[in-house]
Structure formats: C-alpha cells, structure tokens
Amino acid sequence: MNQGTFPSANEGHLQGNGNYTDHSVLAPSIMQCVQSRSSTAPLQEELNALRQEKLDLHAQLFEAAQIQRKLSGARALRHGCLHLASEVFAAAFLPGDFTIFSQYGSRLFAAHGDIAGKGIVAGMWFTNLAGLLQSYGRPDSCPAQIASEVNRHLCYLRPIAPFVTAFVAQIDCVLGEVNYCNAGHFPPVLLRANGQTELLQTGGPLLGAIEDAEFDSGRLTLECGDTLVAYSDGVLECRDPSGEEFGLDRLLAALRRAGQSSAQATLMMLLAEVQDFANGSPLSDDVSLTVIQRDAEGTEHPRVLVNDLSDMPGMQVG
C-alpha cells in the first residue's frame, strides 16, 4: 500500500489493534446491505398500506355499529306510566342481538331478539330484519301475525337467511296492556310488584326454520310496580373465570334486588351484576337486555326520549 493513499477495495489495511481488514470481503457485504435495504422498502410500504386498511375497516365497523343503534330507535323511553330501557354489547365487531322500539302515539312496538351467529354477518342481517319488524309492526298488527310475516320472509330467503329468535310486543303505554309473541326466544321474565315471577313463553318456534309455522299471541297487563325483562342467551351463558354460567336464578335474584326505581336504573344494575360475575372474563357471545317497567302507584313522570345510555357500565369483549 502506498503511503498517503487510501487502500483500494482489494488491498485491506492493518488496524491499530494489529488486526488486518480485508476490503475484498468488506465491500461486497456493504453492497449486500444496501441491496437488502432497497429490497425491504416495498415490504414496508405494503405493511403501511395494510395498517391503513385495518384502520379504515375499524372506522367503517364503528360507523356500521352507530347505524345499527339509530335503526334500533331510542335506548331509553318514557311515556305515560311506562318507562323502558335497553342495551346491547357486541362480542365481536357488530352484534347479532337487537332491540327495537317504535312509537305510534300512546302505543309502542318493542322487539328483542338474537340473530344466529355474531360479528359482521349477523350485523348485516340486522338491517334487513329491522326493516321487516318496523314494517310489519304497525299499531294494528298483532304480534303473532308480525312473527308469521317475518318467518315467511326469512324462509323464502333460505338457505342464506339466518335463524332468528325474537320477542315482539305491542304495548299500550297508558293502560299498561302488553300483547306479545315469543318466537323461540329465551322467555322474558315478568316480576310482579308482590315479588311473584312469570316466564312469557306463548308464541311459536324460532323464525326462519319452519315455513308454515303457527304463532300465538299472549296478553298481560303491567300493574303498578311491575317489571318485564327480556334478555339474550349471552346473559345467562356469561361465564366467570372458573367456567360457571350466570344462569336464570342469578338473573332473577339480581332483578329482585334492583327494586322499582326506574327501567334505566334496573338495566344498569343487571348489567353490573353480569359484569361483576364475569370478573374480567371476555364475552363469548353478545349480551343484551330490555327492561319495561310501570311506575309504582302515585308516581308521575314526563315523557323522555334518550338515544344512548351514556352512563352505562362498560363490558369487556373478546
């Protein structure tokens, strides 16, 4: 090597510690590093694009969930002597559970149900089902006829359409009269002011299963201080860390402890009981509740509409 000149690529040089560096080996390594960085650049761009697609998808799912909430109607409602509240928590993206309130003067159409499956597919079918229920749920329609029409429509769309369980009711908000049909849904609980309970089972099979299925309507009157609670299987089948299910007995006990303050307060207490029981375990299925309560005797309240129960306790989802 000539003094005062840089070594050529194939000469190498003696380092201060006595080690000899062979540039004939070092130069190709540098070139490989540069080539490697240039080859990973497209991969990084692709990863960035995938991250952005994921963010866009989450934004669209959030928007779809908000549309579901709007199509369901108010989350809390008070009219005459009755007050109602409902909430749905999705286990995956969009819920298959649904609640619907539609008001016509002093009459109210209410539906609580579960579309088979969960996530995006079940959430997409909700739009179709909500339209059907609100179309057939006219003030002069009996619940059995509503269930029959929805069943006929879903059977026509087989095998694409999912099975659906639903509790549908026409409610007179002044008199407290409730005409209902339970189409294969878990029987709602009627807790009388005196502590007695009834399970509302009159109706027929789940919707979309039997084309010529027959449905019946049941009738009851909510007396002062009575409470009606519809719920999904996700409530009863919610598990604690040991795998034990919440079950109907715990739901009834929690309902009795809730008292008769308001439908919204009862709803929040029931959800809190389910959440405490789960003790951090993620939801394996959608959780939904609808509470309909008649004021205790001598209580008067103005009519109130609320779209969301913002102070509802959060639920952990998986």
Side-chain angles (χ1 to χ4, degrees):
M1 180 176 68
N2 297 327
Q3 187 176 4
T5 63
F6 289 101
S8 64
N10 57 359
E11 280 185 314
H13 71 278
L14 188 64
Q15 297 180 348
N17 57 9
N19 295 326
Y20 180 79
T21 301
D22 186 354
H23 289 282
S24 64
V25 177
L26 181 60
S29 299
I30 295 175
M31 292 301 296
Q32 290 174 3
C33 183
V34 172
Q35 291 173 356
S36 176
R37 289 183 179 178
S38 62
S39 64
T40 58
L43 291 176
Q44 187 60 49
E45 291 177 359
E46 187 174 350
L47 285 173
N48 291 338
L50 289 173
R51 289 192 187 98
Q52 187 58 49
E53 287 182 12
K54 182 179 179 181
L55 291 174
D56 292 342
L57 177 60
H58 278 223
Q60 292 172 27
L61 288 173
F62 177 80
E63 185 176 355
Q66 299 309 303
I67 292 173
Q68 269 197 349
R69 294 179 75 87
K70 294 297 182 183
L71 290 175
S72 297
R75 286 296 189 191
L77 166 68
R78 185 187 295 276
H79 188 97
C81 61
L82 296 184
H83 41 118
L84 308 89
S86 69
E87 192 54 83
V88 177
F89 291 95
F93 302 114
L94 299 176
D97 287 8
F98 62 88
T99 63
I100 294 175
F101 292 155
S102 296
Q103 190 172 11
Y104 305 92
S106 63
R107 296 190 64 82
L108 181 77
F109 171 73
H112 187 117
D114 185 359
I115 302 170
K118 54 181 178 291
I120 296 176
V121 175
M124 290 176 64
W125 276 105
F126 167 79
T127 304
N128 177 270
L129 189 63
L132 290 173
L133 288 170
Q134 292 175 342
S135 174
Y136 293 126
R138 298 178 298 273
D140 57 342
S141 300
C142 76
Q145 183 63 28
I146 296 170
S148 179
E149 293 292 348
V150 173
N151 179 69
R152 179 183 58 81
H153 181 89
L154 292 176
C155 286
Y156 175 77
L157 295 176
R158 288 188 306 190
I160 300 174
F163 296 136
V164 177
T165 67
F167 174 81
V168 296
Q170 296 279 19
I171 304 170
D172 188 316
C173 296
V174 176
L175 301 177
E177 294 178 349
V178 179
N179 294 330
Y180 72 89
C181 177
N182 185 349
H185 197 66
F186 277 78
V189 176
L190 174 61
L191 176 64
R192 295 293 186 182
N194 61 8
Q196 294 182 340
T197 58
E198 303 173 28
L199 297 180
L200 308 184
Q201 304 185 69
T202 304
L206 75 170
L207 305 174
I210 305 173
E211 187 171 356
D212 298 323
E214 295 185 358
F215 297 88
D216 298 318
S217 292
R219 181 186 296 268
L220 62 92
T221 299
L222 289 173
E223 305 292 349
C224 294
D226 289 351
T227 302
L228 190 159
V229 176
Y231 52 91
S232 67
D233 56 348
V235 174
L236 301 189
E237 296 170 5
C238 178
R239 298 177 183 272
D240 65 8
S242 69
E244 185 176 355
E245 293 186 348
F246 187 71
L248 181 60
D249 289 341
R250 285 189 177 88
L251 178 64
L252 293 175
L255 180 57
R256 289 190 174 95
R257 287 193 296 271
Q260 305 170 1
S261 55
S262 71
Q264 182 175 343
T266 299
L267 175 66
M268 289 191 293
M269 183 169 180
L270 293 178
L271 288 172
E273 292 265 2
V274 174
Q275 186 179 23
D276 289 346
F277 177 80
N279 194 24
S281 299
L283 297 180
S284 59
D285 197 1
D286 300 333
V287 167
S288 59
L289 283 165
T290 293
V291 178
I292 304 173
Q293 198 167 68
R294 184 168 185 176
D295 289 327
E297 192 170 3
T299 304
E300 294 185 3
H301 293 284
R303 175 174 174 268
V304 178
L305 280 170
V306 181
N307 284 326
D308 295 298
L309 301 180
S310 58
D311 53 352
M312 196 62 60
M315 299 289 288
Q316 181 178 352
V317 299

